[in-house]
Amino acid sequence: MIIGITKEIKANENRVSCTPEGVKEFVKRGHTVFVEKGAGDGSGFPDKEYESQGAKILKTPEELYRNSEMIYKVKEIFPEEYKYLREGLIVFTYIHSNAHRDQTDALLEKKVTAIAYEDVTDKNGEFPLLKPMSEIAGKGGFIAALNFSQKIHGGKGILLARVHGIRTPEVTIIGAGNSGIGAAELSSAFGNKVTILDIDINKLERAKEILPPNVELLYSNEQNLIKCLKRTDVLMNCILWPKWRKDHLVSRDMLKLMKRESLIVDVACDEAGAIETCRSTSHDDPVYIEEGIMHYCVDNIPAAFPQTSTYSLCNATLPYALEIANKGVKKALTDNKYLRRGLTSYGGKLTLEETGKKQNRPYISPEKSLGIE
């Protein structure tokens, strides 16, 4: 198969989908790899490193898309890239189709086979291609909280750390998954009073085993959430909200319970998702104020740490990309039900139920689209 590795065009997106070492894995199995010029620069991988592992450098995205059978990338397809899509092209990346209706339209119109990292599952029902970025996003989210709690950056002027003689700041984390644990590790290490809320008792038990005593673990219900909202200095949302849900865990009215000038960090960044007032922001313009509460909702936190993130992402996605290349996309999807869960579009049909419900558009199952149902 011919694999194309693109240079990301999202603002401040310095990650790349594949390391030079990853390229070598494709090449030694007989595949051809094209890398767009400068694709790895932001992560510290110059073109010559890719060439040394057998890749060929192409100068333009048009050339890359035209000559590739599978596009292996990091972020969703942007409007400037729609013109490069064509029938039968495989796109393997983070897609977030429910949040980008125009992108979904383009994928369906061009009959692209699109597989979304964020929807691939494993035998435990977890999301292995989200996990590495989730941990980095959780830790990066707390680093952002440290930054935007400073008065010089518009915050209330508190240091999120234990300081002798004054009240210890409080950090509330919604979700004891990978990003929640990552956020808790850093925030507790700074000496803050940390509370994690989750409805999964097993996750809370696992968190207890690895986190220090200054982390309180609470079952997530309305009463406990309201208590935390009233006392917290930073609220971090680390749960993915089901794409089809139109209600919210934290409504706009509930923000009035929070202390003035406190901070919300929405790591998940589901538009109007678990937190009603969340809307995605960028590293260039990361914060805004709603109901007197500062919101940080950057939707690609790991891009601030591109080399770490690229290694971690490639480690997770490469086995699936190799499976697609080795078997061909239809056989790989047929054989691997967990990969199949990530199928977003196939043959001009939407195959992701959550996006169908969220966007109120027709969809079919991945199995039906592949003719294996």
Side-chain angles (χ1 to χ4, degrees), residues 1 12 48 55 80 84 97 142 151 153 212 231 282 295:
M1 184 175 284
N12 296 302
K48 64 181 180 181
E80 303 94 306
Y84 304 136
S97 56
F142 175 71
K151 195 68 175 178
H153 294 302
R231 72 193 192 201
S282 68
H295 292 58

Side-chain angles (χ1 to χ4, degrees), residues 21-319:
E21 295 91 339
V23 165
K24 184 177 182 179
E25 295 302 311
F26 284 110
V27 172
K28 73 182 185 181
R29 289 168 173 81
H31 305 297
T32 298
V33 180
F34 294 136
V35 176
E36 187 178 345
K37 182 177 175 61
D41 286 351
S43 293
F45 306 125
D47 292 342
K48 64 181 180 181
E49 289 191 18
Y50 286 105
E51 289 179 307
S52 71
Q53 300 299 336
K56 181 179 179 181
I57 305 300
L58 299 183
K59 292 183 178 180
T60 66
E62 181 179 13
E63 190 179 6
L64 185 90
Y65 275 82
R66 185 177 67 245
N67 290 287
S68 300
E69 295 172 275
M70 177 169 68
I71 297 298
Y72 184 26
K73 65 192 306 291
V74 179
K75 295 304 292 180
E76 62 270 14
I77 305 293
F78 278 73
E80 303 94 306
E81 299 169 305
Y82 294 167
K83 60 189 175 185
Y84 304 136
L85 301 177
R86 67 178 190 276
E87 183 172 352
L89 182 68
I90 305 160
V91 173
F92 190 38
T93 188
Y94 289 118
I95 295 175
H96 302 291
S97 56
N98 68 301
H100 304 285
R101 189 181 186 98
D102 58 339
Q103 177 193 217
T104 305
D105 289 339
L107 293 172
L108 296 176
E109 179 185 341
K110 298 295 182 69
K111 297 184 178 181
V112 172
T113 299
I115 304 170
Y117 295 161
E118 71 271 14
D119 293 305
V120 173
T121 60
D122 61 20
K123 63 182 181 181
N124 298 315
E126 297 182 351
F127 299 90
L129 306 191
L130 275 178
K131 181 178 180 178
M133 295 302 95
S134 295
E135 180 183 357
I136 294 170
K139 292 180 176 179
F142 175 71
I143 292 171
L146 281 172
N147 188 46
F148 289 100
S149 291
Q150 298 176 45
K151 195 68 175 178
I152 58 173
H153 294 302
K156 65 192 300 183
I158 65 170
L159 175 62
L160 295 178
R162 185 181 178 188
V163 177
H164 180 69
I166 62 173
R167 182 186 73 87
T168 300
E170 298 197 32
V171 177
T172 298
I173 300 167
I174 301 173
N178 297 305
S179 57
I181 294 297
E185 285 178 344
L186 283 197
S187 55
S188 62
F190 275 66
N192 297 287
K193 292 181 180 177
V194 181
T195 301
I196 298 181
L197 297 159
D198 205 296
I199 59 173
D200 189 329
I201 296 297
N202 291 327
K203 285 185 177 180
L204 292 176
E205 288 178 349
R206 289 198 296 270
K208 181 181 178 181
E209 295 174 358
I210 61 176
L211 294 172
N214 59 323
V215 179
E216 180 182 33
L217 303 167
L218 290 181
Y219 184 78
S220 184
N221 56 35
E222 186 175 12
Q223 184 177 12
N224 283 337
L225 177 59
I226 287 174
K227 285 180 181 177
C228 290
L229 290 177
K230 289 179 178 179
R231 72 193 192 201
T232 199
D233 297 290
V234 177
L235 175 67
M236 299 187 66
N237 175 49
C238 295
I239 60 168
L240 289 172
W241 200 239
K243 296 178 176 67
W244 52 268
R245 288 186 66 163
K246 293 180 171 54
D247 60 337
H248 315 283
L249 191 63
V250 179
S251 67
R252 178 178 292 275
D253 284 343
M254 291 171 74
L255 297 194
K256 297 170 185 176
L257 301 172
M258 299 178 70
K259 293 183 287 188
R260 302 293 291 181
E261 296 186 306
S262 51
L263 172 65
I264 290 176
V265 175
D266 196 331
V267 174
C269 276
D270 294 315
E271 197 93 8
I275 298 177
E276 182 178 5
T277 49
C278 171
R279 61 176 185 270
S280 293
T281 60
S282 68
H283 289 288
D284 285 332
D285 187 16
V287 296
Y288 60 90
I289 307 293
E290 291 278 359
E291 305 295 340
I293 307 299
M294 180 182 284
H295 292 58
Y296 175 93
C297 304
V298 173
D299 61 10
N300 63 335
I301 293 173
F305 316 95
Q307 188 165 116
T308 299
S309 298
T310 290
Y311 272 117
S312 189
L313 181 62
C314 182
N315 289 344
T317 61
L318 184 62

